[in-house]
Amino acid sequence: MPLKGGPFTWNNKRTDEASILKKIGIIFFNFSWNRKFKKSLGIIEPALGSYHNPLVLLTKGLKRRFKKEFKFESKWLFDQECKEINENEWTSPMIGNKRAKMH
């Protein structure tokens, strides 16, 4: 089962050379279950107050619930690097799909 969120599911809460990170959390499934839930996905959540990261099983995969809106920050008008990037993007020739150029 695909897991998103990091490669480890357990740590010993120590730092430097004493740190131990392991992948001991596993989600088991079989072929017939996987055919029924083709978009299923395992998520490794952050460990809060525990050595173990909880695993969450999503049977419908990840769906974007909202469209991310662009928000303009007026402070960008005074940033020299931002001004140069903006000028370069607006004056460069458009190649290919117009939507591919939009960020």
Side-chain angles (χ1 to χ4, degrees):
M1 159 101 26
L3 286 174
K4 297 221 181 239
F8 306 110
T9 61
W10 181 89
N11 72 75
N12 65 346
K13 300 278 188 194
R14 296 186 183 172
T15 58
D16 302 327
E17 296 84 29
S19 176
I20 300 173
L21 303 168
K22 295 285 183 180
K23 183 177 184 179
I24 60 173
I26 299 172
I27 298 175
F28 288 100
F29 65 101
N30 62 24
F31 181 72
S32 62
W33 190 90
N34 192 41
R35 277 190 308 183
K36 187 173 180 177
F37 301 101
K38 293 178 181 177
K39 294 184 178 183
S40 59
L41 176 69
I43 304 291
I44 301 172
E45 293 286 335
L48 301 173
S50 174
Y51 295 98
H52 298 272
N53 297 63
L55 298 177
V56 176
L57 176 62
L58 303 175
T59 56
K60 295 182 182 180
L62 291 174
K63 291 185 179 180
R64 192 174 213 176
R65 294 184 184 163
F66 56 89
K67 186 177 179 182
K68 188 175 181 181
E69 294 180 27
F70 173 79
K71 296 192 180 191
F72 180 80
E73 296 284 341
S74 59
K75 64 183 177 182
W76 294 341
L77 295 170
F78 305 103
D79 183 78
Q80 184 61 34
E81 184 180 4
C82 181
K83 182 180 177 183
E84 291 170 8
I85 291 170
N86 193 26
E87 287 173 357
N88 289 338
E89 288 299 312
W90 280 100
T91 58
S92 65
M94 182 69 65
I95 299 171
N97 186 343
K98 291 180 183 180
R99 292 181 184 199
K101 189 76 171 176
M102 298 170 69
H103 304 300

